Amino acid sequence: MKKSLITNKWLWITSALFAIAVVAFLFIPKNGHDFEIDGIYYKVVNDTSNEVKVTYKGNDCKDYSHEYSGVVVIPNKLTYEGKNYIVTEIDDYAFSGCSKITSISIPNSVWNIGFCAFSGCEGLKEIHISDLAAWCEMSFYDLTDNAGDSPLNYADGLYLNDELITDLVVPKDVTEIGAHSFEGYKNIRSVVLHKGIATIHKSAFFNCANLIDVTFADEVEYIGPYAFDGTPWLENQPDGEVYIGNLLYKYKGEMSSNTSIVIKDGT
């Protein structure tokens, strides 16, 4: 009798634990797509403002290896089941591992690109945009102190209305250059920053291997770390204090223990 009671007790506990596990599984938040249109997968970000983000297929970014390939054109607006949406983000891992993507068009409605969104996109050659100001102010997930997730770390060409950007003239309505905006971009040779730009965030032009000429205005108020590191422009500056307008950007070269620095008036 005692053995039967013990057995029944364990059966009850096991059944209860199984039921809890099933309920827990049913209520685990899914990170995958909510719907698909024209081969692009979307997840609803905000039902009130009807915002969606581009994401991967399935419930995990590793469920499918090449759900995106070739030319990908992200629309700024779309309609699904009679409801209108606006595309505002590219999700974490959205295109991760999609090595067969060759070109992507990103609309000016997108303001944020998530963590590892383009990791492993070795085949990506072209990024197409229609609004340079929107790109300059884009938010990129910041993985470390100096390495973001800009797709320009992979793509050779950034195209504005199908014209390759090599000599960048920042639009006058831009007041800030976002962190990692042009990081790793190989084709950029020169940058003109007008006097309305107050802030250049960290790593904005980090590792732009062919950037040789930068025109600054004295009104720049802040330049973040690594903003121009890894560029020929910085390499060509003489050792010592490097000034950008009225800002002391950094000290270049070896600093011995008896180094003396005199900061300019007005810095």
Side-chain angles (χ1 to χ4, degrees):
M1 183 71 174
K2 186 180 290 186
K3 183 176 179 181
S4 177
L5 287 174
I6 293 173
T7 301
N8 290 337
K9 180 181 178 181
W10 279 110
L11 285 173
W12 181 87
I13 292 173
T14 303
S15 298
L17 289 173
F18 178 78
I20 292 171
V22 169
V23 172
F25 175 79
L26 292 174
F27 285 95
I28 291 175
K30 304 300 183 188
N31 295 320
H33 69 282
D34 291 320
F35 58 87
E36 174 264 330
I37 297 178
D38 296 330
I40 298 179
Y41 301 89
Y42 300 95
K43 185 173 181 64
V44 177
V45 176
N46 190 316
D47 259 326
T48 303
S49 58
N50 296 344
E51 296 177 16
V52 295
K53 57 185 174 182
V54 176
T55 190
Y56 42 78
K57 182 180 180 181
N59 292 321
D60 189 279
C61 64
K62 296 179 181 178
D63 281 351
Y64 299 86
S65 58
H66 297 295
E67 64 265 48
Y68 295 106
S69 62
V71 177
V72 177
V73 179
I74 301 174
N76 62 345
K77 295 180 181 179
L78 53 94
T79 301
Y80 179 72
E81 294 186 345
K83 193 170 185 178
N84 296 322
Y85 293 95
I86 183 170
V87 182
T88 58
E89 300 180 54
I90 296 177
D91 199 4
D92 298 345
Y93 301 103
F95 300 103
S96 177
C98 295
S99 60
K100 296 182 181 180
I101 291 179
T102 57
S103 171
I104 187 163
S105 296
I106 301 176
N108 57 13
S109 57
V110 171
W111 64 269
N112 179 60
I113 294 179
F115 176 58
C116 288
F118 290 89
S119 63
C121 290
E122 291 90 356
L124 182 61
K125 300 299 181 185
E126 300 179 1
I127 299 171
H128 291 263
I129 60 174
S130 60
D131 188 333
L132 183 56
W135 183 267
C136 288
E137 296 170 347
M138 183 77 72
S139 172
F140 296 96
Y141 185 95
D142 190 6
L143 180 61
T144 66
D145 283 342
N146 67 330
D149 276 336
S150 171
L152 288 172
N153 281 309
Y154 296 93
D156 294 329
L158 178 64
Y159 293 82
L160 175 63
N161 298 320
D162 295 327
E163 290 191 15
L164 180 67
I165 297 175
T166 56
D167 299 295
L168 174 65
V169 179
V170 178
K172 291 186 177 179
D173 56 338
V174 173
T175 59
E176 298 185 9
I177 306 293
H180 313 288
S181 292
F182 297 91
E183 177 189 319
Y185 185 35
K186 304 173 186 68
N187 269 309
I188 194 168
R189 299 177 304 198
S190 68
V191 176
V192 176
L193 302 163
H194 61 81
K195 66 179 181 180
I197 296 174
T199 302
I200 302 171
H201 289 283
K202 69 178 179 180
S203 300
F205 298 94
F206 179 64
N207 272 350
C208 289
N210 293 298
L211 179 57
I212 59 174
D213 184 32
V214 185
T215 302
F216 299 96
D218 290 343
E219 287 81 359
V220 176
E221 297 173 0
Y222 173 80
I223 297 179
Y226 315 106
F228 293 94
D229 285 34
T231 66
W233 173 82
L234 183 59
E235 291 172 7
N236 291 334
Q237 303 304 309
D239 285 354
E241 304 95 289
V242 177
Y243 284 86
I244 295 177
N246 291 324
L247 290 175
L248 175 54
Y249 172 54
K250 70 182 303 176
Y251 187 92
K252 179 174 177 282
E254 294 288 334
M255 183 184 290
S256 60
S257 58
N258 61 347
T259 300
S260 176
I261 297 176
V262 178
I263 297 176
K264 294 179 182 178
D265 290 340
T267 298

